[in-house]
Amino acid sequence: MPAAAPLSRPILAGVVTALVGFTSSFAVVLTGLDAVGADAAQAASGLLAATLTMGLACVVLAWRYRMPITVAWSTPGAALLVATGTVEGGWPAAVGAFLVTAALILLTALWPALGALIARIPPSIAQAMLAGVLLPLCLAPITGIVANPWGVIPVVLTWLVCARLAPRWAVPLAFVAAAAVVAVSLAQERAPFDPGLLVPRLDLTAPVFTVGALVGLALPLFIVTMASQNVPGIAIMRSFGYEVPWRPAMLVTGVGTALGATAGGHAINLAAISAALAASPDADPDPKRRWVAGASTGVTYLVLGGFSAAFAALVVLAPVAVIPAVAGLALFAAFGSSVQQAIDDPGERLPAVVTFLVAASGISVLGVSAAFWALVAGLLVRTVLHTSR
């Protein structure tokens, strides 16, 4: 019988999972929180809250069910915040929407019919909405090259080279390149730096509930989180032989979202893309020991939470267009996947195109964001076309 792999292997796999997940998308989270009205301190608090809650959720689920279950913040949800912008009621209303999203996730665990209703939304419509939401962010590296070529080109070139040589690390290393650009810029400007920016702290906000925020932000955030994160996350884990307990997973992520909401955390969910890093045989040949990778992911997130203020400060100090470029590069893969799934079925293509265009338009009607109207338009077109047939 071959000797068991050292325990350091799944532990290291968990560390890598957390590092890749955090550095690949934290800029998207900060950009999204800023878009819905958070100031620098509130955005940093939101990043800290999301990092801590998803770290705790990883540890709880992996330890309790002895599976490499990993939890992440909703990256598509953060992109949705960017597309939505400031809602009626400002930042407090956005916090209220985060709490409603948490309640809907919890309701999904307690009332299976809600999950079934979400599952009835055609995947092509849901993915087309996500693609439309992601499009403006994915354009940022292109427009950034024009706005600030000396700052953005090194980031894009780093990403391109690493996408060829080390795809998993392409976005994290692009962030490293962005950090170097920021350091050079600060050195040239000799601008004063406040060390207090490096101290992580939670900034609590009393929630406000408005119709525009609930319909235009909470509902689309819930749908995007479920359709683009939780459902694919379950499928990816199943492909490695793990049946994730649905109700406990939704309860833990729903409670985590609720706990982080007033501090600015938008939503946490089951990891999708990064889930494979902890659940695959690369983490450990023995499937029964891979849960260690899930727990290690959570512990690493908790450690990264201590540095969240530093990451947020880096975004604040960055030259124009540099951080949006990193955020856009981080979403290229998700955008490509969403477009492919949206137009894959010729019979669903026209409703998907309408959904995509409405979501990408950025329109706001009656205080409700484009993401909601994209779903309405896509489902309406689909209903008319199917009825006519």
Side-chain angles (χ1 to χ4, degrees), residues 4-383:
L7 197 59
S8 60
R9 181 167 175 176
I11 291 175
L12 181 59
V15 172
V16 170
T17 301
L19 287 174
V20 171
F22 185 95
T23 58
S24 294
S25 55
F26 83 91
V28 184
V29 173
L30 290 171
T31 303
L33 296 176
D34 174 74
V36 292
D39 60 28
Q42 291 164 339
S45 172
L47 182 67
L48 174 60
T51 306
L52 294 180
T53 52
M54 67 188 187
L56 289 172
C58 285
V59 173
V60 169
L61 289 172
W63 182 278
R64 171 64 180 81
Y65 296 100
R66 289 300 195 265
M67 296 182 192
I69 302 173
T70 51
V71 174
W73 50 48
S74 176
T75 302
L80 174 69
L81 302 186
V82 178
T84 301
T86 305
V87 294
E88 175 192 357
W91 173 243
V95 170
F98 300 161
L99 278 173
V100 172
T101 301
L104 290 172
I105 295 173
L106 287 170
L107 189 58
T108 303
L110 302 174
W111 186 36
L114 180 58
L117 181 62
I118 296 299
R120 291 184 62 184
I121 298 176
S124 59
I125 298 293
Q127 293 300 322
M129 181 192 73
L130 177 59
V133 166
L134 295 179
L135 177 61
L137 273 172
C138 289
L139 292 175
I142 301 168
T143 56
I145 289 176
V146 177
N148 183 8
W150 296 109
V152 175
I153 288 178
V155 175
V156 175
L157 288 179
T158 300
W159 168 82
L160 182 59
V161 172
C162 294
R164 171 66 180 86
L165 301 177
R168 179 184 300 176
W169 295 97
V171 176
L173 290 176
F175 162 69
V176 172
V181 169
V182 175
V184 171
S185 175
L186 291 176
Q188 290 177 339
E189 296 176 2
R190 296 181 179 179
F193 177 74
D194 180 10
L197 293 174
L198 303 179
V199 179
R201 58 176 62 89
L202 294 175
D203 190 322
L204 302 181
T205 300
V208 170
F209 301 97
T210 66
V211 174
L214 299 184
V215 177
L217 181 56
L219 184 59
L221 178 58
F222 169 66
I223 293 174
V224 164
T225 299
M226 295 298 296
S228 302
Q229 294 284 150
N230 284 329
V231 174
I234 292 286
I236 289 173
M237 291 294 289
R238 185 176 292 128
S239 71
F240 291 108
Y242 299 100
E243 287 294 334
V244 176
W246 173 259
R247 177 169 291 181
M250 293 303 99
L251 286 173
V252 169
T253 55
V255 169
T257 299
L259 290 175
T262 55
H266 65 297
I268 63 171
N269 44 246
L270 293 174
I273 297 174
S274 60
L277 299 177
S280 71
D282 290 338
D284 195 291
D286 185 357
K288 295 181 179 180
R289 295 207 318 167
R290 293 177 201 161
W291 71 269
V292 175
S296 172
T297 300
V299 172
T300 305
Y301 276 135
L302 295 176
V303 174
L304 286 170
F307 297 94
S308 60
F311 285 102
L314 193 67
V315 171
V316 172
L317 297 171
V320 64
V322 172
I323 297 302
V326 176
L329 293 172
L331 295 170
F332 274 13
F335 176 74
S337 176
S338 297
V339 171
Q340 180 183 7
Q341 294 178 60
I343 64 174
D344 189 50
D345 184 351
E348 302 285 353
R349 193 164 294 165
L350 185 56
V353 168
V354 171
T355 304
F356 169 79
L357 292 175
V358 174
S361 70
I363 62 170
S364 177
V365 180
L366 302 176
V368 178
S369 68
F372 174 80
W373 297 116
L375 282 176
V376 172
L379 291 173
L380 176 62
V381 171
R382 186 177 186 273
T383 301

